């Protein structure tokens, strides 16, 4: 098959020109002007090859190559274009451009397919603008009710529906993704870890995706004078938060079994050097491929928050945000991708994803599969993120042959 890596290189370079932080990695937040410009580029390329574009529920985009059977369920492929703040050039982008390139080859070579083939771009995968990961796909698959969107806001108080409208995104297809309309969902993604590189494999066949739970935690103490309030008369929210945050690391290490827990954002009020902190808010991200282990880590962390705050007579609130269950992906798709990789003499490896992906939400709707390509030194969510173009090309070839086999 004729995947052209030079076209993929051009797509990646073009998309990454749209960047709000040119001096520090890539920042492309959902519905920002950079995001819209990247989406416009991809939509233009998809229109060029004759796909039918739909602007879908939740801010997602679908480009369809109709199959010969109008009633058949679709094979979807794609990923996201939003990034974390100061992120890299490949997370999400690789899945979009490989799907675009696969669609180009299908049209150029007139590869017959009975099932429709859809290229999809999911919105707000990272949750870096609205603090809610996998947001677009959660709405599209019906896992998050539309009515909750009014309460999902960015740091400036703009709601998700407002941001969607301000970006000029007009939904043309309000329908939800339903199992009977979907045959399969496939996503190529960078590994974001170092397993493939260490084992000398070029392709990862994802068998499972870890579960993720996100929380906002608020500790409420009392703001007071830093010079006149004795040490035993303080209700210092930051001292409690510091102890909780240190315990989060200890708990994850003690539980082990692939548990990871991260506090990545913290804000302290009033944030003055001569005022005792009255309120501290911080994020918590906990992950594990096993739901029981994940839940037990969260129970232990919640109890620790309570114990530390009760001891210091402080208030606290733990607000659950987005979460995804750990999922197993389709064995049928793993087998098929493995066969396709073998036919191309590509060394592949079955692997578990610690990162979250939109495809996890499809595991119960359709046959869901992911193809990983190696990340240099396992780095990701940082400007150093790097994947070789040749490996992205191989990922695209495995995607193309798997999709065309499924859609035949
Ligand atoms: C997304 O990249 C995530 O794993 O949070
Ligand atoms: Mn991603
Ligand atoms: Mn990411």
């Amino acid at each position: 098959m004729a995947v052209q890596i030079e076209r993929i290189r051009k797509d990646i370079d073009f998309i990454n020109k749209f960047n709000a932080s040119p001096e520090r990695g890539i920042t492309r937040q959902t519905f920002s002007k950079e995001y819209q410009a990247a989406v416009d580029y991809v939509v233009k390329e998809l229109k060029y090859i004759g796909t039918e574009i739909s602007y879908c529920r939740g801010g997602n985009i679908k480009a369809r190559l109709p199959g010969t059977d109008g009633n058949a369920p679709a094979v979807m492929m794609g990923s996201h274009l939003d990034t974390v703040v100061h992120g890299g050039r490949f997370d999400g982008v690789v899945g979009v451009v490989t799907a675009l390139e696969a669609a180009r080859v299908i049209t150029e070579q007139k590869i017959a397919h009975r099932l429709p083939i859809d290229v999809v771009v999911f919105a707000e995968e990272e949750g870096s603008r609205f603090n809610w990961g996998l947001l677009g796909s959660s709405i599209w698959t019906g896992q998050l009710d539309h009515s909750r969107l009014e309460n999902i806001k960015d740091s400036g108080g703009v709601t998700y529906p407002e941001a969607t409208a301000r970006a000029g995104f007009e939904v043309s297809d309000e329908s939800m993704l339903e199992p009977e309309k979907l045959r399969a969902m496939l996503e190529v993604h960078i590994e974001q870890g170092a397993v493939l590189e260490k084992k000398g494999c070029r392709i990862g066949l994802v068998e499972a995706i870890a579960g993720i739970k996100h929380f906002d935690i608020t500790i409420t103490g009392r703001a007071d004078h830093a010079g006149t309030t004795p040490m035993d008369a303080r209700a210092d929210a930051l001292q409690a938060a510091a102890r909780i945050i240190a315990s989060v690391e200890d708990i994850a290490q003690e539980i082990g079994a692939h548990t990871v827990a991260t506090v990545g954002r913290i804000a302290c009020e009033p944030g003055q050097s001569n005022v005792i902190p009255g309120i501290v808010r911080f994020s918590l991200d906990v992950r594990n491929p096993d739901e029981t282990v994940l839940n037990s880590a969260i129970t232990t962390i919640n109890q620790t928050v309570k114990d530390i705050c009760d001891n210091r007579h402080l208030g606290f609130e733990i607000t659950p945000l987005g979460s995804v269950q750990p999922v197993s992906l389709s064995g049928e798709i793993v087998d098929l991708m493995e066969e396709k990789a073998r036919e191309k003499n590509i060394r592949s490896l079955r692997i578990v994803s610690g990162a979250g992906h939109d495809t996890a939400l499809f595991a119960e709707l359709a046959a869901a599969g992911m193809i990983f390509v190696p990340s240099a030194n396992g780095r990701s969510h940082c400007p150093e993120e790097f994947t070789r173009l040749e490996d992205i090309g191989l990922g695209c070839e495995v995607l193309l042959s798997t999709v065309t086999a499924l859609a035949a």
Side-chain angles (χ1 to χ4, degrees), residues 91 125-126 192 212 214 285 287 354-356 381:
D91 180 355
E125 191 271 351
E126 299 287 4
Q192 306 180 281
I212 309 175
H214 282 152
D285 172 312
R287 306 183 184 211
H381 281 185

Side-chain angles (χ1 to χ4, degrees), residues 48-75:
Y48 183 74
I49 57 170
T51 63
E52 298 161 12
I53 307 286
S54 307
Y55 294 88
C56 302
R57 185 184 181 86
N60 308 291
I61 292 169
K62 179 176 88 184
R64 172 156 292 194
L65 294 172
T68 49
D69 178 350
N71 295 319
V75 176

Side-chain angles (χ1 to χ4, degrees), residues 299-313:
T299 306
T300 311
I301 293 172
N302 287 354
Q303 187 60 45
T304 303
V305 173
K306 182 172 173 5
D307 292 347
I308 291 175
C309 291
D310 285 355
N311 235 333
R312 293 173 163 256
H313 308 292

Side-chain angles (χ1 to χ4, degrees), residues 151-337:
N151 296 320
I152 297 185
K153 298 179 182 165
D154 69 7
S155 57
V158 179
T159 67
Y160 193 70
E162 273 165 9
T164 313
R166 284 187 201 178
F169 188 105
E170 276 180 44
V171 176
S172 59
D173 181 357
E174 271 293 0
S175 60
M176 271 189 342
L177 282 174
E178 286 157 22
E180 58 275 15
K181 295 190 186 139
L182 271 183
R183 166 70 178 93
M185 167 66 208
L186 288 159
E187 180 172 5
V188 177
H189 205 281
I190 56 169
E191 181 199 342
Q192 306 180 281
V195 176
L196 293 176
E197 195 178 60
K198 281 195 187 124
K199 303 243 176 187
C201 294
R202 313 282 297 272
I203 289 288
L205 310 165
V206 182
E207 292 191 294
I209 303 179
I212 309 175
K213 296 204 184 211
H214 282 152
F215 302 87
D216 261 346
I217 301 182
T218 304
I219 312 294
T220 310
R222 195 177 59 246
D224 256 323
H225 198 291
T228 57
T229 316
M231 293 311 286
D232 61 359
R234 298 176 174 217
D236 184 331
L238 189 53
Q239 287 297 331
R243 283 160 176 78
I244 294 166
I245 293 167
S247 305
V248 164
E249 185 178 67
D250 296 342
I251 292 165
Q253 271 169 347
E254 271 157 31
I255 293 180
H258 308 290
T259 306
V260 288
T262 307
V263 175
R265 177 175 38 76
I266 180 163
C268 176
E269 289 178 24
Q272 307 272 298
S273 60
N274 59 353
V275 185
I276 295 164
I279 298 179
V280 173
R281 296 191 173 86
F282 57 94
S283 61
L284 174 67
D285 172 312
V286 189
R287 306 183 184 211
N288 197 284
D290 180 314
E291 195 166 7
T292 315
V293 181
L294 178 60
N295 288 337
S296 114
I298 286 158
T299 306
T300 311
I301 293 172
N302 287 354
Q303 187 60 45
T304 303
V305 173
K306 182 172 173 5
D307 292 347
I308 291 175
C309 291
D310 285 355
N311 235 333
R312 293 173 163 256
H313 308 292
L314 302 174
F316 68 93
E317 193 175 353
I318 303 172
T319 309
L321 302 174
S323 70
V324 208
Q325 306 297 324
V327 290
S328 296
L329 298 185
S330 158
E332 173 208 359
I333 302 276
V334 171
D335 290 348
L336 184 57
M337 295 187 308

